[in-house]
Amino acid sequence: MSRRRSLLTAPLLLAALLATLLAGPTGGRAEAAPATFVHPGVLVSRGQLDFTREKVNSGAQPWKGAFDQMMASKYASLSRVPKPRSVVECGSYSNPNLGCTDEREDAIAAYTLSLAWYITRDGRYAQKAIEIMDAWSAVITDHTNSNAPLQTGWAGSSWPRAAEIIRYTSTAWPQARVDRFKTMLRTVYLPEVTNGSHSNGNWELSMTEAAIGIAVFLEDRAAYDKAVATFRGRVPAYIYLTSDGALPKAAPGSGLDTRDELVRYWQGQTTFVDGLTQETCRDLTHTGYGLAAISHIAETSRIQGQDLYPEVADRLRHALGLQAKYELGEPVPGWLCGGTLHDHLGPVTEVGFNALHHRMGYGMTNTQRLTEAGRPAGTNNLFVAWGTLTHAGNPG
């Protein structure tokens, strides 16, 4: 090769190498964690919090009713005594339940109290949130037994929401305790959730919600990118669109590569329609967990300047609409889950509905009816809490 050609080729090789290094494991797309993280920026932004505070303080509905509901709950109590444990042991269906409920509910309480602080500016709520977070960061070392990944995902979704609000809107949390809380998230929670799960889809989605929230609080760009890559692989494998072909997509690394394996994983369902989820035929409650986590992850990414909603909008709107239709009483056809759907979605639609309908302009008649009928949306006592208060009609 001539020296001239070598000189011309070198920059091209360097550019190709740089592109390879920057590309993520999702078809060459760099995940693009923010160069500067936005705080507070897990599920709710400062702008969204200000909108909520203004609506509540002016007595506007549904926000004032949602606020009153939250403040009347056990999670807003200023007399709450946290119940931290060194090792939280959670078996299947929380049997055994050694600290599982206590951890989840203390995490939700910390988030609830942080919202109460921001809206009322009563420092007692910030102090109580700090007390709960400090109690756990001083004690917990591990999660064990079969439900450990899911338990860590649920609690790990709520902790960063609370921490973001308190850390960035209050001066009451000593830096040494903030650092200890960060260490807890980095060493106890993140390792449990960052590598995902090949269980039912709601597991990996809840774990990924925890991972992205923790990444934001820790300002960990690598962890953020890994969570986004997991999200991009799992959502198309959780919600079916007819454009996927005759069968649903398999989650990366799942090893599901035959029709029989996919049908079995999709609870025996053999007819696939837009918006069907991998867990629809299991029950609507677990489906709701998955849809909530998808919405929450996309909401956090949007706040951070990398809007994932456009990538999942068609899947999410069809999924919300399909499940909502049957929640509203539409007879279940025989081809769908044998003609019977079990349980209920729970208070999981506000975040996704607000983003897709109010911000992006999708008509979502069934989802709108279900969402408005369920207001004010409360909490599922796991990782979903106060969606009407924070996201109803919120332009963000």
Side-chain angles (χ1 to χ4, degrees):
M1 180 184 294
S2 70
R3 183 172 182 273
R4 173 178 168 76
R5 185 180 174 190
S6 174
L7 289 172
L8 288 172
T9 305
L12 298 177
L13 291 174
L14 181 60
L17 176 61
L18 193 58
T20 300
L21 291 173
L22 289 174
T26 53
R29 289 174 297 185
E31 304 315 328
T36 302
F37 284 91
V38 176
H39 303 291
V42 176
L43 187 60
V44 287
S45 66
R46 187 181 295 270
Q48 288 172 304
L49 290 167
D50 286 342
F51 174 90
T52 299
R53 183 169 186 263
E54 178 185 348
K55 291 297 186 183
V56 170
N57 289 340
S58 68
Q61 298 297 351
W63 303 275
K64 181 60 166 64
F67 175 74
D68 291 343
Q69 175 201 46
M70 182 185 80
M71 296 304 289
S73 76
K74 63 183 178 181
Y75 298 112
S77 172
L78 288 170
S79 61
R80 185 178 189 86
V81 177
K83 299 178 181 177
R85 294 178 66 97
S86 175
V87 177
V88 175
E89 182 177 358
C90 306
S92 182
Y93 294 96
S94 292
N95 182 23
N97 181 343
L98 301 178
C100 315
T101 301
D102 292 337
E103 180 188 31
R104 294 193 305 264
E105 294 194 348
D106 276 348
I108 290 174
Y111 175 53
T112 301
L113 291 157
S114 73
L115 291 172
W117 142 251
Y118 196 89
I119 293 168
T120 67
R121 302 302 165 92
D122 184 335
R124 294 176 301 166
Y125 293 110
Q127 288 290 352
K128 179 57 71 171
I130 292 166
E131 177 189 331
I132 293 169
M133 291 188 287
D134 285 351
W136 279 90
S137 69
V139 171
I140 190 167
T141 61
D142 200 9
H143 297 86
T144 63
N145 214 316
S146 59
N147 263 26
L150 183 59
Q151 171 72 18
T152 311
W154 283 340
S157 294
S158 297
W159 287 130
R161 298 178 205 159
E164 281 281 302
I165 294 172
I166 297 299
R167 170 67 179 81
Y168 292 100
T169 71
S170 165
T171 59
W173 202 5
Q175 186 61 49
R177 299 295 174 83
V178 173
D179 292 341
R180 189 175 76 188
F181 193 81
K182 287 182 176 180
T183 298
M184 176 191 80
L185 293 180
R186 183 173 296 284
T187 61
V188 179
Y189 288 83
L190 189 58
E192 190 73 51
V193 298
T194 190
N195 292 320
S197 163
H198 295 307
S199 183
N200 284 300
N202 81 88
W203 277 52
E204 186 158 74
L205 290 163
S206 294
M207 293 162 68
T208 303
E209 180 184 349
I212 200 168
I214 291 169
V216 170
F217 190 63
L218 297 180
E219 298 193 325
D220 186 328
R221 300 183 80 244
Y224 181 97
D225 284 348
K226 189 170 184 177
V228 170
T230 302
F231 177 82
R232 283 175 162 158
R234 173 55 83 167
V235 175
Y238 192 70
I239 302 171
Y240 175 82
L241 288 179
T242 54
S243 57
D244 294 336
L247 293 171
K249 292 179 179 290
S254 66
L256 302 176
D257 54 12
T258 70
R259 181 183 186 279
D260 287 347
E261 288 172 340
L262 283 166
V263 166
R264 186 161 52 249
Y265 187 57
W266 282 64
Q267 323 298 326
Q269 180 69 8
T270 57
T271 301
F272 302 98
V273 296
D274 285 335
L276 186 76
T277 82
Q278 182 257 317
E279 295 185 276
T280 300
C281 294
R282 181 187 184 191
D283 60 69
L284 292 179
T285 301
H286 286 90
T287 298
Y289 300 164
L291 299 182
I294 291 169
S295 302
H296 295 171
I297 294 164
E299 193 73 5
T300 294
S301 78
R302 187 190 63 84
I303 294 167
Q304 295 303 323
Q306 180 199 29
D307 194 349
L308 294 173
Y309 274 118
E311 296 183 26
V312 300
D314 276 347
R315 293 184 191 275
L316 185 56
R317 71 185 180 92
H318 279 299
L320 289 170
L322 182 71
Q323 324 306 311
K325 178 169 68 172
Y326 297 113
E327 281 273 25
L328 291 166
E330 180 89 7
V332 181
W335 58 263
L336 178 60
C337 309
T340 302
L341 293 174
H342 301 284
D343 301 334
H344 298 282
L345 282 175
V348 303
T349 62
E350 282 282 14
V351 176
F353 172 68
N354 182 57
L356 297 172
H357 179 69
H358 289 293
R359 293 199 201 111
M360 300 180 74
Y362 287 105
M364 301 175 70
T365 305
N366 289 329
T367 305
Q368 181 169 2
R369 284 179 56 204
L370 182 66
T371 301
E372 292 177 351
R375 286 177 175 167
T379 176
N380 67 359
N381 303 308
L382 300 174
F383 72 105
V384 177
W386 323 125
T388 299
L389 176 65
T390 57
H391 286 84
N394 196 324

